[in-house]
Amino acid sequence: MEQRKFLFIVNPAAGMPGAREHAVALIRARCAELKQPCEMVFTEYPGHAAKLALEHTDKENDWLVFACGGDGTLNEVACGAVYRPNLAITHIPFGTGNDFIRLFDDPASIARMDVLRGYDLLETDIIKAGDRFCLNTCCMGFDARSADRMQLYRRTKRINPKIPYNLGVATALLGGLSRRFALDIDGETLEGRYTLVSIMNGRYYGGGFNPAPHAVPDDGLLDIVIVKAVNLVQFSRLITPYARGEHDKLKDFLILRRGVNVRVKTVKPIPIAFDGEMAHAGQLDVTVLPRRVKFAVPNGVKWVKPREISSMAENG
């Protein structure tokens, strides 16, 4: 194991009430148990974790930065690591999704901070989407519109956490299921009305949805999952197999591609989710940076092997 300095970046706003206090207590207890130094800093606004990762480390020493929060916090820390080859990252998950660590065969050991006992460094690709980076996904369409509305409703603090999600889905449904897209994937043009367009590095998003069960996070390729335009009845039937990654049941609805460069154009700006963080654009250029980020896992933990691609879905 390389000798690295540790930095813990904690997002106080992540997860359910009390999650921050539990995480901080866990970090301090595990560091004390293993006699490890415990330098801890807290985010104060969106995007702050990337800045903290650079401000509280140096270029001379090797660092392991713990992203303590959800996938958004992990994404921000990864954004800092893109620019610093001496930074490795890992995750202490207490957000609502925690999708990236689902890629590993023992995610519980990562959550327990077993990396403090000894770790291996696995290299992962990262998506560059315009001026943003994503570890998991850059997605647009119905799910991104739902997430965009959900974030708006979530600002109302005194309501059940499920209510913003349900309201987001309902208002997105009222706006129609599909939009017109023009995509260029390594020179291949696809145009039409699509319900979802997900450009994936990981396999999961949205708290366990598995739209890209075939994705390999260190193969230097983007996995593009396109759901054709569907009506409400079709949508209600496909949502469960889509969430489970059962692409063999969706051959009439999916277009699957792999590539390095994707350009997406829409008639007008639409919501786009970058690992759960929202923005709006009418054109986006996406590429992959191969094995750009080092991710620390407890000794012996590996990537979960992907499923084989269904040729029927791929030809969609």
Side-chain angles (χ1 to χ4, degrees):
M1 181 178 73
E2 300 177 37
Q3 185 62 41
R4 290 177 176 263
K5 294 187 174 184
F6 294 160
L7 173 67
F8 298 85
I9 298 179
V10 181
N11 179 0
M16 300 297 289
R20 169 206 169 164
E21 290 76 12
H22 174 76
V24 169
L26 172 66
I27 293 166
R28 287 177 174 157
R30 293 306 301 274
C31 287
E33 173 191 350
L34 300 172
K35 296 181 172 57
Q36 296 283 1
C38 183
E39 182 179 353
M40 194 181 310
V41 293
F42 297 87
T43 63
E44 298 176 1
Y45 51 82
H48 195 197
K51 186 177 181 182
L52 290 173
L54 297 177
E55 287 180 344
H56 288 264
T57 62
D58 55 51
K59 297 180 180 179
E60 289 70 39
N61 295 284
D62 289 328
W63 287 83
L64 176 53
V65 182
F66 293 73
C68 312
D71 284 310
T73 309
L74 178 62
N75 170 274
E76 291 182 18
V77 172
C79 289
V82 165
Y83 298 104
R84 288 272 182 87
N86 62 316
L87 297 190
I89 68 173
T90 193
H91 196 194
I92 302 177
F94 61 93
T96 54
N98 307 319
D99 285 308
F100 190 75
I101 65 170
R102 298 175 194 267
L103 294 169
F104 300 100
D105 60 7
D106 189 3
S109 68
I110 300 173
R112 289 195 305 265
M113 300 172 56
D114 286 354
V115 293
L116 291 176
R117 298 183 181 275
Y119 59 83
D120 299 320
L121 293 180
L122 303 183
E123 294 178 324
T124 178
D125 303 339
I126 194 167
I127 299 170
K128 187 178 188 300
D131 60 354
R132 292 172 175 260
F133 298 97
C134 316
L135 275 177
N136 268 322
T137 180
C138 168
C139 66
M140 55 212 81
F142 176 78
D143 48 2
R145 295 199 310 277
S146 299
D148 192 49
R149 300 304 299 176
M150 179 183 68
Q151 288 196 358
L152 176 65
Y153 297 128
R154 189 179 282 170
R155 294 170 191 164
T156 303
K157 301 294 185 182
R158 297 181 180 179
I159 59 176
N160 186 299
K162 292 183 179 179
I163 293 177
Y165 172 80
N166 294 333
L167 287 174
V169 171
T171 53
L173 283 172
L174 290 174
L177 282 169
S178 63
R179 295 289 187 272
R180 180 161 292 279
F181 289 86
L183 295 95
D184 182 289
I185 304 171
D186 291 343
E188 178 188 8
T189 299
L190 297 172
E191 294 189 41
R193 293 187 69 85
Y194 303 128
T195 300
L196 303 171
V197 176
S198 297
I199 303 172
M200 306 289 295
N201 178 52
R203 297 178 197 138
Y204 300 91
Y205 65 31
F209 274 63
N210 185 14
H214 46 273
V216 179
D218 61 355
D219 65 354
L221 293 172
L222 302 168
D223 286 78
I224 302 97
V225 181
I226 302 167
V227 179
K228 300 175 185 178
V230 295
N231 60 40
L232 188 56
V233 173
Q234 291 170 324
F235 180 81
S236 65
R237 291 174 178 170
L238 69 83
I239 190 67
T240 297
Y242 176 81
R244 293 175 177 172
E246 297 172 342
H247 287 3
D248 56 325
K249 298 179 181 179
L250 302 172
K251 60 182 181 179
D252 295 330
F253 301 104
L254 290 187
I255 301 172
L256 304 181
R257 294 292 186 269
R258 277 181 169 158
V260 174
N261 296 295
V262 182
R263 172 168 287 180
V264 183
K265 291 184 180 180
T266 56
V267 175
K268 60 181 181 180
I270 60 171
I272 304 174
F274 303 90
D275 284 352
E277 301 301 314
M278 302 305 303
H280 295 74
Q283 177 173 317
L284 188 67
D285 291 313
V286 184
T287 191
V288 60
L289 304 181
R291 301 195 171 197
R292 187 64 173 266
V293 175
K294 294 184 285 290
F295 194 94
V297 296
N299 291 141
V301 172
K302 304 295 183 186
W303 300 111
V304 174
K305 292 183 179 180
R307 300 183 200 170
E308 294 297 323
I309 297 177
S310 164
S311 59
M312 293 180 292
E314 189 178 24
N315 292 332

